[in-house]
């Protein structure tokens, strides 16, 4: 498959660790192009975030553990499956909120633990402003939801919060990741799986992903500065 202009091709991504899963599903890639498009308005943008999140989440949870459950069909007794893992969804405020509904559709019994982090525009370091986690972990698998993995500062901070909480199996779900962010997260936390729809080329001098999609929070919530 040749590289698209401005995007790394498969050969350029040979360095990715085995814990990083980049989806090549046509439905995701089609929606991702619409998501990137500067003409896509917030309503459509939110729909696309939700749809891509559902597809990525479906792939990311393929190894969730099951246990047997007895089922009585209209015909006879049989055995079915039910989720054995307690799933925790951790949307990173604000932009991760747009991924939450899709994940709750997939996993209706999941617990939701919001984490408030924003990136200081000057230092690019994450600032934590909301965290109501109880004293010890109440889930078996944590899925961190954040559309963008740029420097990796926010994701690394979120993973550290969850590990201090006692979380053991942690997965990071991003729509678009930069190589810089993937390196930062996988070097600091090689046990964390990353699932994303694309690995883009690089960050610009302000820490934005190229080609990226701009500011994911502003595009979802219509808060970008005009002009
Ligand atoms: C964005 C994004 C990530 C972070 C990624 O959030 O949703 O949380 O930046 O950047 P990093 O990998 O360099 O840390 P932002 O700080 O813009 O906050 P918002 O979601 O409230 O808009
Ligand atoms: N946060 C965003 O929303 N977009 C980027 O490109 C980088 C960080």
């Amino acid at each position: 498959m040749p590289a698209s202009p401005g995007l790394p091709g498969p050969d350029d991504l040979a360095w990715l660790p085995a814990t990083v899963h980049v989806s090549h599903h046509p439905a995701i890639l089609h929606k991702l192009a619409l998501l990137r498009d500067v003409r896509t308005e917030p309503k459509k943008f939110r729909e696309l975030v939700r749809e891509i999140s559902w597809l990525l989440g479906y792939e990311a949870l393929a190894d969730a553990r099951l246990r047997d459950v007895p089922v009585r069909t209209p015909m006879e007794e049989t055995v079915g499956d039910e989720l054995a893992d307690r799933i925790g969804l951790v949307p990173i405020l604000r932009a991760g909120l747009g991924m939450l509904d899709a994940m709750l559709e997939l996993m209706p019994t999941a617990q939701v633990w919001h984490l408030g982090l924003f990136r200081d525009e000057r230092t690019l370091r994450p600032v934590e402003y909301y965290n109501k986690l109880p004293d010890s972990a109440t889930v078996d698998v944590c899925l961190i939801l954040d559309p963008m993995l740029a420097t990796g500062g926010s994701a690394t901070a979120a993973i550290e919060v969850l590990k201090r909480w006692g979380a053991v199996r942690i997965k990071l779900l991003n729509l678009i990741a930069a190589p810089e962010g993937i390196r930062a997260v996988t070097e600091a936390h090689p046990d964390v799986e990353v699932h994303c729809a694309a690995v883009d080329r690089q960050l610009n001098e302000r820490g934005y992903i190229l080609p990226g999609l701009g500011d994911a929070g502003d595009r979802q919530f219509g808060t970008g500065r005009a002009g």
Side-chain angles (χ1 to χ4, degrees), residues 106-214:
L106 259 180
M107 293 284 154
T109 57
Q111 300 176 23
V112 181
W113 295 104
H114 299 82
L115 266 190
L117 292 172
F118 72 85
R119 196 170 72 149
D120 181 308
E121 283 190 15
R122 202 175 41 83
T123 63
L124 298 186
R125 295 302 306 154
V127 179
E128 184 179 316
Y129 63 92
Y130 185 86
N131 174 355
K132 295 276 183 196
L133 289 170
D135 287 345
S136 55
T138 55
V139 296
D140 302 305
V141 185
C142 274
L143 261 85
I144 300 173
L145 311 179
D146 194 333
M148 308 304 272
L149 178 63
T151 64
S154 306
T156 306
I159 293 165
E160 283 163 6
V161 165
L162 294 174
K163 285 191 173 175
R164 279 199 298 277
W165 187 43
V168 179
R169 288 163 62 204
I170 300 175
K171 296 172 189 255
L172 177 62
L173 231 71
N174 303 119
L175 304 192
I176 298 181
E180 294 88 335
I182 290 184
R183 284 204 174 87
V185 167
T186 56
E187 281 171 25
H189 299 286
D191 55 311
V192 171
E193 272 184 30
V194 181
H195 290 261
C196 59
V199 177
D200 275 11
R201 194 175 72 247
Q202 66 186 102
L203 297 179
N204 71 7
E205 67 290 348
R206 290 174 47 235
Y208 277 82
I209 300 176
L210 299 176
L213 51 72

Side-chain angles (χ1 to χ4, degrees), residues 1-13 24 29-30 32-33 36 197-201 210-211:
M1 213 188 339
S4 311
L7 284 167
D11 292 347
D12 305 314
L13 299 178
H24 301 294
L29 297 181
H30 177 90
L32 188 62
R36 291 183 190 276
V199 177
D200 275 11
R201 194 175 72 247
L210 299 176

